[in-house]
Amino acid sequence: MRVLRSIRSRLWVLVIATIIPFTVLIGAGIWIRWWSDQATAITQAISEARLLAAQIDDHIGNLENLLTGLREAVSTNPLDTAANDALLRKVKSELPDFYSHIAIFSLDGTNIGTSSDTSGGRPNARTHAYFEQILAGQKLAIGDVMFGKTVGRWLLSVARPINDASGRLRAVIAVGTLLDHFQDALRIKALPEGTIVTLVNQKGIVIARSVDGARWIGRDASSWQHLAKHFA
């Protein structure tokens, strides 16, 4: 009996000694596979992020070019408001649907030209961030994310100064772009299943999100740990 028990004990030791290395190998294989998949996903995400950033740069560049051309064609004289309205509405009618509005403001924030319907009154830009940025001397200003009551959708405004021949600031011209446009850019098929892409501005406000975008636009994400690190 003692011999039999000794043999059984040795067999168990042999089995355990065989199982442990095998288990370690499986665990190591799983870890290596997970690490490889994670590294691939990160590389892919960075690549897609750069592509998305380039698309956004192109879009902002198109807005800037539009404003550059228009500021040479409009008037900064409040007496020409009606003529400005007519010009801006004509231009707006020829632009893609994601352009929400074009507007001109005098230095006190009074609207002196708009492509929008003015039956409910004219907007005043005095409280808008992009307007204050232009008054402070910026050549190109990107405003805060805001909900456009007229269009009933989230939008972002880009503005440029209108200077006279001597270089003095005379007015501010702005164009709004609907944030729905960025939602299309976030429909990236190459990323792993379950990936969520969130686009935020320099203040950490959500501009677009690949999942439930309508519910997320306008939220403050600046406190998210990984975003705070990038902002820092």
Side-chain angles (χ1 to χ4, degrees):
M1 290 295 292
R2 291 181 179 178
V3 173
L4 182 60
R5 289 177 181 174
S6 177
I7 292 174
R8 287 179 178 174
S9 297
R10 291 177 182 177
L11 286 174
W12 275 113
V13 170
L14 181 60
V15 170
I16 292 171
T18 304
I19 289 176
I20 290 176
F22 185 67
T23 303
V24 171
L25 286 174
I26 292 177
I30 293 174
W31 184 85
I32 292 172
R33 176 61 183 272
W34 174 84
W35 181 259
S36 176
D37 289 346
Q38 185 185 50
T40 300
I42 291 174
T43 301
Q44 200 169 5
I46 292 174
S47 176
E48 294 293 347
R50 287 173 176 164
L51 177 60
L52 180 59
Q55 292 176 356
I56 294 172
D57 281 345
D58 287 343
H59 182 64
I60 298 299
N62 290 336
L63 298 177
E64 184 179 5
N65 291 337
L66 173 66
L67 294 179
T68 299
L70 283 176
R71 68 179 181 175
E72 301 298 329
V74 298
S75 172
T76 60
N77 188 338
L79 297 178
D80 295 326
T81 297
N84 285 338
D85 287 349
L87 173 61
L88 296 182
R89 287 168 185 168
K90 183 178 185 303
V91 171
K92 170 66 172 61
S93 68
E94 298 173 355
L95 294 174
D97 292 340
F98 54 77
Y99 288 86
S100 62
H101 68 277
I102 313 170
I104 310 166
F105 301 96
S106 61
L107 299 186
D108 64 356
T110 302
N111 180 261
I112 56 173
T114 179
S115 63
S116 303
D117 181 13
T118 57
S119 59
R122 290 182 177 273
N124 191 292
R126 193 66 197 180
T127 60
H128 294 319
Y130 66 80
F131 184 76
E132 295 299 331
Q133 291 170 28
I134 295 297
L135 293 187
Q138 288 189 204
K139 301 303 182 184
L140 176 69
I142 300 178
D144 293 332
V145 175
M146 60 181 295
F147 188 79
K149 296 180 179 179
T150 304
V151 295
R153 293 153 79 180
W154 289 96
L155 56 87
L156 188 70
S157 293
V158 175
R160 293 210 67 180
I162 300 179
N163 301 320
D164 61 18
S166 63
R168 289 183 299 175
L169 180 63
R170 289 300 187 186
V172 177
I173 184 168
V175 58
T177 180
L178 297 174
L179 294 183
D180 296 351
H181 178 63
F182 293 121
Q183 290 297 128
D184 295 333
L186 294 184
R187 294 188 176 94
I188 303 171
K189 297 180 180 179
L191 293 177
E193 183 179 356
T195 299
I196 297 176
V197 182
T198 305
L199 178 65
V200 301
N201 68 5
Q202 72 278 11
K203 295 182 179 179
I205 304 301
V206 177
I207 293 177
R209 186 175 167 90
S210 60
V211 177
D212 293 332
R215 294 175 52 194
W216 280 88
I217 292 176
R219 291 191 187 186
D220 187 350
S222 59
S223 62
W224 293 1
Q225 185 176 359
H226 59 292
L227 283 181
K229 180 179 69 174
H230 285 295
F231 287 139

